[in-house]
Amino acid sequence: PFARNSALCSRPELHAPIADQPHRDASGSFSWNGAPAYDLLKIIERSGRPLSYTYWTVRTATQFGKEIPCEASVGLLFDPARCLDEQGWGGSVYFVNPDPQPREKERLYVQWRPRAWKSERSLENPLWKAYLDPITPPRGPMDILSLSPLAGNCELLRTLVTADSMTMAR
């Protein structure tokens, strides 16, 4: 299992190439603050763990149709999947309406974004309605899960990582 105090986390290459001055956080562990997700994932790949080049990101429903480029993805709109997507990765984007009593009964829409093939991205991005309870995670392995604070909180995160799937860690 991967844990913050695992041998992978204490490797010097995790810190030197991605931070000017590596430092320890309050727990005494090296901080990953400021390290782009892509850099961290490449270090994991170099350690011998294969990547699927797939992400799962959860955004608020109001972000649907608003393609924000990687460099503009900051603050509350920060989403590492936007940068990975621009680098050819694919995955699932869940658009959640966090309102417990929405005007429309659908609270979740799922969009599948295929990986780029030979630097070409398909223009097809199918979208479908889904259920928030119970939520179904994407099929297959994924390298990163990103949850917008506008879409949910720790309770939604717990629901996502424990969703019924053979591919998700419990």
Side-chain angles (χ1 to χ4, degrees):
F2 184 79
R4 200 175 161 135
N5 60 356
S6 74
L8 178 63
C9 294
S10 62
R11 295 172 67 129
E13 67 196 54
L14 182 63
H15 312 287
I18 55 180
D20 292 331
Q21 296 179 351
H23 62 281
R24 293 188 183 270
D25 63 13
S27 71
S29 300
F30 280 110
S31 174
W32 294 354
N33 186 26
Y38 181 79
D39 290 349
L40 294 173
L41 290 165
K42 292 314 250 178
I43 290 168
I44 291 170
E45 185 177 48
R46 284 194 308 270
S47 76
R49 292 162 176 86
L51 298 179
S52 67
Y53 296 90
T54 307
Y55 58 79
W56 179 16
T57 187
V58 182
R59 300 175 185 157
T60 182
T62 58
Q63 293 180 0
F64 177 73
K66 297 176 182 163
E67 291 301 317
I68 300 171
C70 175
E71 66 271 0
S73 177
V74 295
L76 282 175
L77 297 178
F78 175 71
D79 183 349
R82 292 186 191 279
C83 300
L84 296 172
D85 192 74
E86 286 180 12
Q87 294 174 2
W89 292 45
S92 297
V93 182
Y94 283 36
F95 295 97
V96 174
N97 180 349
D99 184 349
Q101 296 179 336
R103 286 184 294 180
E104 299 157 8
K105 66 178 182 173
E106 290 81 16
R107 292 186 54 211
L108 174 65
Y109 288 86
V110 177
Q111 183 178 48
W112 179 69
R113 305 235 343 141
R115 284 192 297 256
W117 176 257
K118 296 183 179 182
S119 300
E120 294 286 325
R121 171 79 66 184
S122 170
L123 298 178
E124 297 294 321
N125 292 309
L127 179 74
W128 60 92
K129 295 177 188 178
Y131 292 103
L132 195 54
D133 186 28
I135 197 163
T136 304
R139 301 182 91 188
M142 65 203 74
D143 299 315
I144 189 168
L145 167 61
S146 173
L147 171 63
S148 167
L150 299 173
N153 55 23
C154 294
E155 187 60 37
L156 179 56
L157 181 61
R158 187 176 299 111
T159 300
L160 297 172
V161 298
T162 59
D164 188 23
S165 173
M166 299 291 287
T167 61
M168 290 293 297
R170 291 196 180 260

